[in-house]
Amino acid sequence: MLETGQAPPLATEPRKPVNPLLRRKPVEQMVAEGGQGEGGILRRSLTMWQLTMISIGATLGTGIFVVLGEAAPKAGPAVTISFIIAGLTALFSALSYAELAGSVPVSGSSYSYSYATMGEFIAWVCGWCLVLEYAVSVAAVAVGWGQYLNELLDGTIGVTIPKAVSAPLGEGGFINLPSLIVVLLAMVFLMRGAKESARINTIMVAVKIVTLVLFIGIGVMGIKSGNYAPLAPLGVTGISAAASTLFFSYIGFDAASTAGEEAKNPKKDLPRAIMLSLGIVTILYVLVAFVAVGAMPWQDFEGTEAALAQIMTDVTGHSFWGVVLAAGAVVAIASVVFAVLYGQTRILFAMSRDGLVPKVFAKVDEKTGAPRANVLIVSLFCGALAAFIPLGELANATSIGTLFAFALVNVAVVILRRTKPDMPRTFKVALFPVTPILGFIACAYMMYSLPGATWVAFGGWMAVGLVVYFLYGIRRSRLATAEVATAEK
């Protein structure tokens, strides 16, 4: 019988040695050790509704409140089409995520799915991409939070935070202090455990949904038909480029899959939460984007990181509604920081339990059931990124890491169907294998559409990851140590 905090022994088979890069972790082993950490266990306390709120919380935020200002100048009024394209791309991958989340309900998300199907090396690459996706996403979202905080302060008390301490290096400042503060606030709440964190997140998500519905209701009165012409001034290329940037807006739906070891009924609730959250978010994105480009000429979005608040003020002629929108955005974007930071800590928890990163990330506090050291380290790292790196570069870096991980999930669902066809599945991808193949192609195409500088940054990140794996992970992997122990018997 296992003691508290002790992971089950790894299943090993007395076969010929497997190439270390190709060794796979059995699905049964992943499920059996669910929740087990160093010195404690994660608590199963999250309902389907709370999982959905985590997914919406991680998704609905900067993409519509801030990144819209970057995408509209690329696509023009057709930015609504860009949102739909990005949403369809996300849908293909979401279907694969839903099937795997119901079959392998663990904290590692696509990292764990890759480990079970494609081997340790690919799993490491995927996990390293997820670190980029989640950690950098937290930082990028936090940067946008500071912009709306300034809008709120200006509209309420008539002051703004000086640029020297509200903008990163290269954008006229020295440090983005508001961005750092919101990350640290999220850290404090996450230290309290999943159950308490989920309650706070649900409240924040409700506030931002109401805020966006309010924007749609008021903004529609300012629509001018002339603002929709020409529909695509920069052609298909502009629509595609905007869609690649806006894909950043959809990355949060997979956050629900990182809660697999804290969900009450993960096999049924995780697929439902993923699909429901993506549907709600896509509808809101498309409606808000349609109203926004109808109420304000697309050229005016250039350089505007608080466009929705500006539109509210322009349409009503009163700054009050802009202040209301800014207040809602402050809460909305804070909830994204909160939910995405949660996902990052759980992925590192799974990687640490497998021995690929230091054990400190899998250490669980007995009182709260939270990996507190993990939360602290990740929060400080993300806070530093948010304080010193510009938003645009962060958003693109997040997109490429996400697309790569999503592409692997589409491959993983195909492999698992073939290697374990009789495995119980609470959700199955429709039109298999066409859907995951289309998902893979869509992710590859959107990666291709990203600028060269983003690829260079991604290549550098992956090079660092390979060094870490071959110097640390490949030797300290629990699968590796289990093989050694078996060979010595």
Side-chain angles (χ1 to χ4, degrees):
M1 191 170 179
L2 294 174
E3 297 180 2
T4 300
Q6 179 182 353
L10 282 168
T12 57
E13 299 178 7
R15 301 182 189 177
K16 61 182 180 180
V18 177
N19 184 325
L21 303 182
L22 301 178
R23 55 194 174 207
R24 293 180 293 180
K25 187 174 181 181
V27 172
E28 298 79 8
Q29 180 65 30
M30 289 184 179
V31 176
E33 66 184 21
Q36 300 290 337
E38 293 287 331
I41 59 173
L42 299 176
R43 298 172 184 170
R44 292 195 178 276
S45 60
L46 303 179
T47 64
M48 193 274 285
W49 177 249
Q50 289 173 321
L51 291 169
T52 303
M53 291 299 101
I54 288 174
S55 189
I56 294 176
T59 309
L60 190 62
T62 303
I64 196 66
F65 283 105
V66 180
V67 180
L68 177 62
E70 294 188 12
K74 296 178 181 178
V79 70
T80 303
I81 298 175
S82 298
F83 267 114
I84 294 173
I85 292 172
L88 287 174
T89 303
L91 175 62
F92 291 133
S93 297
L95 291 168
S96 294
Y97 261 102
E99 177 170 325
L100 292 172
S103 307
V104 191
V106 294
S107 291
S109 187
S110 51
Y111 155 76
S112 294
Y113 310 150
S114 298
Y115 213 162
T117 56
M118 289 175 275
E120 185 174 283
F121 178 70
I122 297 299
W124 168 263
V125 171
C126 184
W128 195 246
C129 284
L130 290 174
V131 171
L132 178 68
E133 171 192 342
Y134 278 86
V136 178
S137 177
V138 169
V141 171
V143 170
W145 185 80
Q147 301 296 329
Y148 273 97
L149 179 62
N150 259 336
E151 287 284 326
L152 179 61
L153 292 174
D154 186 38
T156 52
I157 59 177
V159 300
T160 57
I161 302 171
K163 197 165 187 178
V165 292
S166 64
L169 293 169
E171 291 192 352
F174 297 99
I175 181 173
N176 194 326
L177 194 57
S179 302
L180 176 60
I181 290 172
V182 73
V183 174
L184 296 181
L185 286 174
M187 176 190 75
V188 171
F189 287 121
L190 286 171
M191 290 284 194
R192 302 175 64 178
K195 187 174 183 179
E196 291 299 318
S197 299
R199 289 174 179 170
I200 297 166
N201 177 69
T202 298
I203 294 171
M204 290 193 291
V205 170
V207 169
K208 65 179 170 182
I209 290 177
V210 169
T211 301
L212 289 176
V213 170
L214 179 65
F215 170 81
I216 294 168
I218 293 177
V220 72
M221 295 185 295
I223 290 178
K224 299 179 178 64
S225 59
N227 287 339
Y228 293 116
L231 180 63
L234 302 179
V236 175
T237 301
I239 295 174
S240 177
S244 296
T245 298
L246 290 172
F247 188 80
F248 167 80
S249 310
Y250 289 92
I251 68 168
F253 74 80
D254 60 325
S257 67
T258 68
E261 295 175 31
E262 292 164 285
K264 289 183 177 180
N265 188 5
K267 287 184 176 291
K268 290 185 178 180
D269 290 346
L270 287 176
R272 293 171 181 171
I274 289 171
M275 300 310 299
L276 181 59
S277 63
L278 184 61
I280 292 172
V281 166
T282 301
I283 291 170
L284 284 172
Y285 278 166
V286 171
L287 289 176
V288 170
F290 179 80
V291 171
V293 294
M296 187 167 80
W298 65 272
Q299 299 93 334
D300 294 348
F301 282 85
E302 185 75 45
T304 302
E305 292 185 329
L308 301 191
Q310 181 179 326
I311 291 171
M312 290 279 272
T313 300
D314 292 344
V315 169
T316 62
H318 300 286
S319 61
F320 170 77
W321 292 108
V323 171
V324 170
L325 193 287
V330 167
V331 175
I333 298 174
S335 75
V336 179
V337 173
F338 181 86
V340 176
L341 193 61
Y342 167 84
Q344 172 67 99
T345 59
R346 271 43 180 187
I347 288 167
L348 283 171
F349 173 86
M351 296 178 72
S352 175
R353 186 172 55 198
D354 292 335
L356 298 180
V357 297
K359 289 183 178 180
V360 65
F361 290 102
K363 196 169 184 179
V364 177
D365 182 78
E366 291 187 15
K367 184 178 180 182
T368 63
R372 301 186 75 175
N374 183 341
V375 171
L376 176 64
I377 295 169
V378 171
S379 298
L380 293 178
F381 175 71
C382 293
L385 287 180
F388 298 107
I389 306 297
L391 172 62
E393 294 304 317
L394 289 173
N396 283 336
T398 301
S399 291
I400 196 168
T402 304
L403 287 164
F404 191 87
F406 282 11
L408 290 180
V409 168
N410 286 296
V411 174
V413 77
V414 174
I415 293 175
L416 200 61
R417 280 279 193 104
R418 293 186 177 278
T419 57
K420 291 187 176 292
D422 299 325
M423 172 185 285
R425 290 171 169 84
T426 55
F427 180 92
K428 285 189 175 182
V429 173
L431 301 176
F432 181 89
V434 175
T435 301
I437 290 173
L438 288 175
F440 178 85
I441 293 172
C443 289
Y445 175 73
M446 294 191 76
M447 289 178 71
Y448 174 77
S449 299
L450 290 169
T454 301
W455 277 96
V456 171
F458 180 66
W461 176 258
M462 294 311 302
V464 173
L466 293 179
V467 171
V468 174
Y469 176 69
F470 285 109
L471 292 182
Y472 183 93
I474 196 171
R475 294 180 178 84
R476 294 178 180 266
S477 158
R478 286 186 61 223
L479 288 184
T481 55
E483 288 176 356
V484 172
T486 301
E488 291 176 349
K489 289 181 180 180

